[in-house]
């Protein structure tokens, strides 16, 4: 099956610093990738949609300047949490669909990144 | 707003028994649904999907049922095993092709 690789799996950073999370589709191309945030014992909340070669679209309530998204190639999207604060601590997950299969198909998920801001 | 939700937050099942996990959705226009399994500290893993032109779909030990009349989705796991312990989410493909997740059901398998 298709593989989505997310890196790093865990990161601890100091308050005020920025952290970059990478999401790669290893064996397929993805013109669109999705970034989710998940708090403990809660569901996945869609943060933004990453579009290759264009600006990301953000869900209502998500700060664009706080969560910078770059989708520079068909296999890589990055999420940068800028000026991180303890309340940004969470589990961040990316997903992608195979561009050749269309948009009404399963999405493959990365293994997630546990961010802890101290 | 339109969303996908789950009826029960937890389910405890004896090893070897069958499990049934339920999900209610509110968008009658949705035409594609997916069940995911998420183990602790990991990303969601695809289990099975179903399109709205079907009522039932079977996989290995899993069956998904779709009742469009009452907007209900269920996942049946046959002969539940300890490795099935996880959180299960149903997801609905929104009109803009973004996935909307339900609240999740935590399944615990008793030995």
């Amino acid at each position: 099956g298709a593989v989505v690789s997310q890196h790093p799996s865990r990161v601890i950073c100091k308050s005020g610093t920025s952290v970059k999370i990478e999401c790669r589709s290893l064996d397929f191309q993805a013109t669109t990738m999705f970034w989710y945030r998940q708090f403990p014992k809660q569901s996945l909340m869609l943060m933004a949609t990453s579009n290759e070669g264009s600006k990301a679209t953000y869900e209502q309530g998500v700060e664009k300047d706080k969560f910078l998204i770059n989708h520079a190639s068909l296999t890589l999207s990055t999420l940068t949490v800028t000026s991180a604060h303890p309340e940004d601590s969470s589990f961040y997950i990316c997903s992608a669909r195979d561009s050749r299969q269309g948009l009404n198909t399963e999405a493959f998920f990365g293994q997630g990144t546990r961010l802890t801001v101290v | 707003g339109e969303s996908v939700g789950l009826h029960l937050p937890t389910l405890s099942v004896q090893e070897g028994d069958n499990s049934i996990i339920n999900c209610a959705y509110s968008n009658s226009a949705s035409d594609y649904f997916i069940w995911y399994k998420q183990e602790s500290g990991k990303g969601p893993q695809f289990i099975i999907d179903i399109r709205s032109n079907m009522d039932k779909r079977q996989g290995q030990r899993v069956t998904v049922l779709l009742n469009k009349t009452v907007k209900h989705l269920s996942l049946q796991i046959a002969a539940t095993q300890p490795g099935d312990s996880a959180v299960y989410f149903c997801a609905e493909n929104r009109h803009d092709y973004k996935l909307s997740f339900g609240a999740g059901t935590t399944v615990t398998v008793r030995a």
Side-chain angles (χ1 to χ4, degrees), chain B residues 4-97:
Chain B
V4 178
L6 285 164
H7 290 310
L8 295 174
T10 60
L11 175 67
S12 181
V13 60
Q14 186 69 38
E15 181 179 357
D17 288 351
N18 297 334
S19 303
I20 299 177
I21 305 166
N22 296 306
C23 178
Y25 65 95
S26 56
N27 186 351
S28 57
S30 295
D31 59 1
Y32 182 58
F33 305 87
I34 309 172
W35 279 100
Y36 285 96
K37 172 186 179 183
Q38 186 180 30
E39 297 176 326
S40 181
K42 298 183 180 180
Q45 177 185 359
F46 173 87
I47 301 174
I48 192 168
D49 58 2
I50 189 167
R51 301 191 184 280
S52 60
N53 61 351
M54 302 176 71
D55 298 322
K56 179 180 179 179
R57 190 157 188 241
Q58 289 184 296
Q60 187 176 14
R61 282 203 306 120
V62 295
T63 301
V64 55
L65 299 177
L66 176 62
N67 186 330
K68 295 180 287 294
T69 302
V70 296
K71 291 182 285 187
H72 183 267
L73 195 68
S74 69
L75 177 70
Q76 299 177 3
I77 304 174
T80 311
Q81 302 170 358
D84 295 327
S85 293
V87 180
Y88 290 81
F89 293 98
C90 63
E92 170 186 20
N93 212 26
R94 291 171 11 181
H95 66 280
D96 52 4
Y97 301 108

Side-chain angles (χ1 to χ4, degrees), chain A residues 52-117:
Chain A
E52 187 268 335
S54 64
K55 290 183 178 180
T57 56
Y58 291 80
E59 296 297 300
Q60 189 173 7
V62 178
E63 299 177 58
K64 301 178 183 181
D65 296 332
K66 177 73 173 176
F67 301 100
L68 298 180
I69 291 173
N70 182 276
H71 194 152
S73 77
L74 288 172
T75 59
L76 174 64
S77 175
T78 61
L79 168 68
T80 301
V81 183
T82 63
S83 186
H85 291 284
E87 57 265 31
D88 297 324
S89 298
S90 190
F91 193 53
Y92 293 87
I93 313 172
C94 70
S95 76
R97 283 193 171 103
D98 188 333
S99 301
R100 298 166 301 177
Q101 303 299 323
L103 297 175
N104 217 24
T105 57
E106 69 174 286
F108 302 98
F109 284 81
Q111 58 268 55
T113 297
R114 173 72 60 192
L115 170 63
T116 303
V117 185

